[in-house]
Amino acid sequence: MSIGNSPEDERPFEDVSEEDRPSVSVGRALQQARIAAGLTVDDVSTATRVRIGIVHAIERDDFAPCGGDVYARGHIRTLAKFVKLDPAPLLAQYESQNGGGRPAPTPAAPLFEAERIRPERRGPNWTAAMVAAIVVVIGFVGFTMVNGDDEGGANVAGDTEPSASPTPSPTTKTAKPVVPAPDPSDSAIAAAPQDKVTVKVVAADGPSWISAKDHNGKVLFAELLKKGEDKTFQDNSKIDLVLGDAGALDLFVNGKKIEDDWQPGAVERLTYTKGDPQAG
């Protein structure tokens, strides 16, 4: 009796190369890109409107708080675009690991019930339409005959036609000219009050996410500024800024342009106060 290995036991193990295995998970890749951009979780949550707890969970590869595959894929796509990653490989990796993207089959019973209770189409009721048309014609003929008799009697009884009373001419009112509102220009920044700090951000070379807060820490703006758009902020004391891509922006403080040589993609945190431009 042979005790050797069976042919099935002698089959070689399948060699899975390291290239086929994902080196970095979805959450880890998003976290590394965020840290490399110099952003905090609070910055990402404020800009993308994804809750802080969900951002933390996704970076730990815990997608349960997202509420389902559809929401998880949407959050992954939003976070990846904000930290300048291609979302397609991350979504493919998520679906391969979590089995997402499979639509649930449509049950046949509701479709059958809806088809069964569909009301029958009825043709137009031509009889009712004909009756209504005849009634309208008879009424019109009767009205014409009565009106004609009244006019004839008035002509016989009267010797002279009544003179028409002169119609007063309407008083012509002169409309006040509408003065168009002046277009906003850079001169409004130059004429800013001296007792306040005025900051204008212009997306001259491309889009950039920006955040602006007043001296109390209140968020004045935290959104993506598209190319060609601009925003102006004013406070009695100071303005705190976070520029997601400082190289794409032009900055004016209290009427003067800031001539800093910011590189494309550079994240800058700045504070400006009253008087001459000065970075805090």
Side-chain angles (χ1 to χ4, degrees), residues 135-195:
V135 171
V136 171
V137 172
I138 295 174
F140 177 77
V141 172
F143 174 79
T144 304
M145 294 178 62
V146 173
N147 191 31
D149 292 341
D150 292 343
E151 290 180 356
N155 292 334
V156 172
D159 296 335
T160 60
E161 295 182 358
S163 59
S165 58
T167 303
S169 60
T171 303
T172 303
K173 296 183 179 180
T174 303
K176 295 183 180 179
V178 178
V179 180
D183 296 333
S185 61
D186 293 339
S187 61
I189 297 298
Q194 298 297 323
D195 59 341

Side-chain angles (χ1 to χ4, degrees), residues 30-276:
L30 292 173
Q31 184 184 48
Q32 289 179 350
R34 173 182 61 78
I35 295 174
L39 299 172
T40 65
V41 174
D42 184 50
D43 294 335
V44 174
S45 176
T46 303
T48 62
R49 302 187 184 278
V50 179
R51 293 198 299 260
I52 294 178
I54 294 180
V55 176
H56 279 298
I58 290 177
E59 290 188 353
R60 295 194 305 267
D61 291 301
D62 179 11
F63 301 99
C66 296
D69 289 334
V70 175
Y71 297 103
R73 287 195 298 270
H75 292 330
I76 291 172
R77 184 180 293 106
T78 300
L79 298 178
K81 289 182 179 179
F82 180 68
V83 296
K84 298 182 179 180
L85 288 179
D86 184 7
L90 298 179
L91 291 173
Q93 183 176 345
Y94 167 79
E95 292 180 0
S96 64
Q97 293 177 353
N98 297 274
R102 299 179 180 176
T106 303
L111 296 179
F112 175 77
E113 293 296 333
E115 184 67 23
R116 188 175 60 184
I117 63 174
R118 182 181 299 174
E120 296 181 358
R121 296 184 178 179
R122 297 183 179 178
N125 193 341
W126 294 108
T127 303
M130 291 288 291
V131 173
I134 293 172
V135 171
V136 171
V137 172
I138 295 174
F140 177 77
V141 172
F143 174 79
T144 304
M145 294 178 62
V146 173
N147 191 31
D149 292 341
D150 292 343
E151 290 180 356
N155 292 334
V156 172
D159 296 335
T160 60
E161 295 182 358
S163 59
S165 58
T167 303
S169 60
T171 303
T172 303
K173 296 183 179 180
T174 303
K176 295 183 180 179
V178 178
V179 180
D183 296 333
S185 61
D186 293 339
S187 61
I189 297 298
Q194 298 297 323
D195 59 341
K196 296 183 178 180
V197 54
T198 304
V199 177
K200 180 178 181 180
V201 183
V202 182
D205 298 328
S208 174
W209 177 83
I210 66 172
S211 171
K213 298 180 181 179
D214 61 9
H215 70 281
N216 292 322
K218 179 182 178 182
V219 177
L220 303 176
F221 185 84
E223 293 183 19
L224 182 69
L225 196 66
K226 298 180 181 179
K227 183 178 180 179
E229 295 182 344
D230 62 85
K231 283 291 180 181
T232 302
F233 311 104
Q234 195 173 76
D235 188 72
N236 295 329
S237 177
K238 69 174 182 176
I239 296 291
D240 293 324
L241 295 176
V242 178
L243 309 180
D245 187 357
L249 302 174
D250 287 342
L251 194 61
F252 300 86
V253 179
N254 298 326
K256 297 181 181 179
K257 184 177 181 180
I258 304 300
E259 300 293 347
D260 284 347
D261 188 15
W262 291 316
Q263 298 299 318
V267 179
E268 296 291 337
R269 299 174 182 273
L270 307 169
T271 299
Y272 292 101
T273 58
K274 296 181 292 186
D276 291 335

